[in-house]
Amino acid sequence: PTWVRMLFLAMLPLFPLAAASQQTIDPSKLDDEVKYIIGLQKLGFSDYARKVADNMAKVPGAGTRMKAIDLQTKLLDCIQRKKFDEARKIVEDLDLSRFEAWPSVIEAADAFYAVGMWTNTVDIYGRFFKQFEKPPAEQDAYYKDCAYKYAQMLKYMKKDELAYGIYELAIKARPSEEEQLQMWVEMAQLALRVVMNLPESDAKGREDWLKKAYKCATDVQWAGYEKAP
């Protein structure tokens, strides 16, 4: 709402921005500055976010990191303005060696999915899960949510075998008991769908996927026994 944005804008001077000084930044505080800039962008203050990022890029000790953040803010701006071709080019230029750079790129992948640019979605998520085959420290919840969301996308795209593997990654992120049970149920259904779509001549493939379905169903059954009074 407009009034929320106006209130936030009025409070901006209260934030102790490191960008206002030219002192070397404590690395532990740099992450806070990054979150602040991305928060501005998500609230729709893209011009202000870019100005803060430009100022931060001039501060000793923050230049390289903030140049990357500037690209991220531009990426989010392109997504908000539905300039998807420009967003795709920015993704190609981003340094994605740090986990912190990925959330805005994942948002881009979701935006690409929403407009039917599925090749870009699969490319981005594929790179993410190739780089992070298990959740980084203290990122279980985010990793699980990304994996589960991407698995749903893949199911809709009829990429069932790939979706099954992404479910397995989601389970590595220590979901709750209820979430894990739901994933096992969906994985069993997915494995059966793969079997139905395989030709009868592929006996080995059908047998392997039936085993996957059976294992997931058994896991659900045993979990039910363990919870029974």
Side-chain angles (χ1 to χ4, degrees):
T2 302
W3 71 269
V4 173
R5 295 181 63 184
M6 293 299 292
L7 176 62
F8 187 81
L9 190 59
M11 293 175 63
L12 287 178
L14 302 179
F15 287 85
L17 289 179
S21 72
Q22 291 299 314
Q23 300 177 358
T24 300
I25 300 171
D26 182 342
S28 65
K29 295 180 179 179
L30 182 56
D31 285 340
D32 292 335
E33 298 293 339
V34 169
K35 291 176 183 176
Y36 173 66
I37 292 169
I38 294 176
L40 284 173
Q41 180 69 44
K42 289 184 176 180
L43 283 170
F45 298 110
S46 57
D47 292 339
Y48 193 87
R50 189 170 301 169
K51 185 181 297 184
V52 175
D54 288 341
N55 289 337
M56 285 290 293
K58 301 172 185 176
V59 178
T64 301
R65 181 82 182 277
M66 296 313 299
K67 286 177 182 176
I69 295 302
D70 184 46
L71 279 176
Q72 287 180 256
T73 61
K74 290 176 181 176
L75 173 60
L76 290 172
D77 186 44
C78 286
I79 293 170
Q80 291 171 353
R81 298 175 187 273
K82 298 183 180 181
K83 296 181 178 180
F84 299 113
D85 288 336
E86 290 183 31
R88 181 168 46 80
K89 292 176 182 177
I90 291 174
V91 169
E92 294 172 356
D93 292 336
L94 277 171
D95 176 9
L96 297 176
S97 58
R98 293 175 59 92
F99 181 85
E100 292 80 1
W102 276 97
S104 59
V105 180
I106 292 298
E107 286 191 38
D110 296 344
F112 289 140
Y113 175 80
V115 297
M117 298 172 67
W118 293 351
T119 300
N120 294 294
T121 299
V122 172
D123 177 63
I124 290 173
Y125 272 105
R127 290 165 61 190
F128 177 74
F129 288 113
K130 182 177 181 180
Q131 185 171 339
F132 301 102
E133 296 181 351
K134 60 181 180 180
E138 302 181 358
Q139 295 293 341
D140 283 354
Y142 180 79
Y143 188 91
K144 175 199 66 185
D145 290 345
C146 284
Y148 186 78
K149 175 175 57 178
Y150 183 42
Q152 304 308 305
M153 294 178 184
L154 290 171
K155 285 165 61 177
Y156 187 81
M157 296 182 217
K158 307 298 184 185
K159 296 180 181 291
D160 296 339
E161 296 185 31
L162 183 54
Y164 188 95
I166 299 300
Y167 272 113
E168 292 179 318
L169 295 180
I171 289 176
K172 289 184 180 180
R174 294 188 285 274
S176 67
E177 289 184 14
E178 291 76 12
E179 289 172 333
Q180 186 157 322
L181 279 172
Q182 180 64 30
M183 289 181 194
W184 280 335
V185 169
E186 293 179 18
M187 290 169 73
Q189 294 172 340
L190 193 59
L192 287 174
R193 194 163 81 178
V194 173
V195 172
M196 293 173 60
N197 289 327
L198 286 174
E200 292 186 7
S201 58
D202 188 359
K204 180 66 167 57
R206 292 167 65 90
E207 180 183 358
D208 289 345
W209 280 100
L210 278 173
K211 287 179 179 178
K212 292 178 187 290
Y214 178 78
K215 181 182 183 306
C216 291
T218 302
D219 288 340
V220 172
Q221 184 178 27
W222 278 109
Y225 285 146
E226 291 174 0
K227 295 182 69 174

